[in-house]
Amino acid sequence: MKKFLSLLTLSLIIGIGFINAQNQRTVVLECFTSTTCGPCASANPALDNLINNNADKLIAIKYHVNWPAAGDPMNLHNPGDVSSKVSYYSINAVPYSVGDGTWVGNSGSVSQALVNQWAAVDSPIDMRMTHYFNAAQDTMFVVVMGRATSAINSNNLKLNISVIEKTMEYATAPGSNGERVFHNVMKKLLPNASGTSIAAMEAGDYFAYEYSWALANVMNVSELTAVAWLQDSSTKQMFQGCKSSDDIQPFFAKQAKISKLDHTMKTICSSSVNPDIYVTNFGSETINSLGINVTVNGTSVADLTWQGNIAFGKTAKINFGELNFADAETSENNEMILEITQINGAADEYTPGTYRYTFEEAPIVVNKTIKLTIRTDDDPQNITWDVVKTSNGEVVLAGGPYEEPHKNYTENIELADDDCYRFTIYDAGGNGLQGGNGLYGLKVGSQTIASGNNFTDKESNEFYFTKNDGVAENIDNDAHIYPNPSNGLITVDVEGMNVLTVYNTAGQMVYNQSINDKTTVDLSKLEKGTYLMVLTANDGKNTKQVIVLQ
């Protein structure tokens, strides 16, 4: 018992020591320069020497601007990210630098004394990061994590990440100032120039993220690295900087996050989804098994188990097949939560990794032609689509591929049977319709069922179609019906006096009554299936789809 108490006391002392510890701060120096700037060529050698002499306590990022004259090739590689930083710091001259987020001045004025002054301030957070490349060496992955050792009371925290090319050497000077060799050149800000928002942190709070970048305009892949910094986006105060390292030590042994879901739907009437689940390992221990619980609106619908191999910093795409949630109560707006319940047979050492996904009840199309419009992108030959009847998986319509890029194509979709349908658009190239401002829209009159361009290899959404001409389309959406699906006892919450009529999929009226405000309706005597509920008031009709389970 004494040995146990000693170990427990020791662990508490270590934990308290970590929480109360302060950290050596890595200074962040952001520099603005150009190959068309004569004074830059004079200032950069001394500035680079200062940066090199402080490699243990300073990170530097150089943004190449497009003035005093246009044509700097490093600016042309990524003008958008540079312009964002120029605006953020109100830079109007070069060579200029920003030190510690708040000092702004001529790059020639950055001194060792200033660097020492900035580095002398303790940091309230410990940050660590690493990077790696895929086998083809055409994509870079960056992993960054941080844990607060004392409170950071800011509601404007931003995690900024820059991929930099440490040295770029041209055979001849690419600009008018004669410089041929350039250092710490910003190539890409991740995930973008705005950074990632971080909530105010208490001591012990932790974050971890993985980002990827498809390499572009890189002179030498071996010269690429990444740096990160945590900053108050309003005051510009710097809290910590961080360099990528090969020997990073994660904060936890077992720690993972569901980083994203792919192949989800925004509107659903089939009560099932088949998502790809991306899990990233941020712990030092290789993940060999996972448990994931899935709930819909608070009801557990699946306990999933997986075995495989996810090394630190890597992400695995996992697909468990169809996730059915017919037994959960759904309504107009719904939430699916996926939570990692175990890693290698034990709990996550920080907090359970959860991912929240929201979806809506599918819209109802009443006996009308559906119009599909596709504006093709750079690769129209990759675009196809289909409409599937979800009750039996039958493909009832299909189209594509297309021939001409950047052209509008219109398809009319005529359906014959009452059913839930899934529309899917595919891109064999894996980048949706993003190239060349492509776009698709699925509409009935002025009602948009689905639209977009930002997806990977496919995107789906569902809608319910009925031939019943006696059912009016939605006029307003103030009626609330719950639970849905249900065992037949349904609460209808609608303002004022209404006549409630329920139709089956054959268009036959199966129920009718008058209701006033919130009313409980008993449909338990109806057969299991999908029905259309029509609420009629003096100012119009409101149609809802309801599902009865038995």
Side-chain angles (χ1 to χ4, degrees), residues 337-358:
I337 299 176
L338 292 88
E339 178 180 307
I340 296 176
T341 55
Q342 63 91 359
I343 301 171
N344 295 341
D348 191 304
E349 293 178 5
Y350 181 63
T351 56
T354 60
Y355 190 96
R356 298 174 183 271
Y357 153 57
T358 60

Side-chain angles (χ1 to χ4, degrees), residues 2-12:
K2 288 183 179 180
K3 181 177 180 181
F4 171 76
L5 290 174
S6 298
L7 289 173
L8 177 60
T9 302
L10 178 61
S11 65
L12 289 173

Side-chain angles (χ1 to χ4, degrees), residues 69-197:
D72 185 314
M74 287 155 285
N75 174 268
L76 295 174
H77 290 166
N78 190 347
D81 283 354
V82 173
S83 178
S84 294
K85 288 301 180 182
V86 167
S87 298
Y88 179 64
Y89 288 115
S90 300
I91 300 298
N92 55 20
V94 284
Y96 249 58
S97 291
V98 178
D100 203 37
T102 55
W103 182 94
V104 182
N106 189 286
S107 293
S109 299
V110 182
S111 65
Q112 185 64 54
L114 279 173
V115 173
N116 292 342
Q117 174 186 324
W118 299 328
V121 180
D122 287 335
S123 172
I125 187 168
D126 182 3
M127 285 175 56
R128 304 170 187 181
M129 70 183 304
T130 191
H131 73 277
Y132 63 94
F133 299 92
N134 65 348
Q137 294 278 294
D138 60 6
T139 302
M140 181 177 180
F141 297 86
V142 176
V143 179
V144 61
M145 55 188 64
R147 193 177 188 194
T149 52
S150 58
I152 307 176
N153 298 315
S154 168
N155 294 317
N156 302 294
L157 290 179
K158 284 294 181 76
L159 174 65
N160 300 281
I161 297 172
S162 176
V163 175
I164 60 174
E165 196 160 355
K166 291 178 289 186
T167 300
M168 297 180 68
E169 184 172 354
Y170 289 81
T172 59
S176 59
N177 70 358
E179 286 185 287
R180 292 190 309 104
V181 182
F182 307 91
H183 301 286
N184 303 307
V185 178
M186 186 279 296
K187 307 301 295 183
K188 182 71 176 79
L189 298 176
L190 297 174
N192 50 50
S194 298
T196 300
S197 294

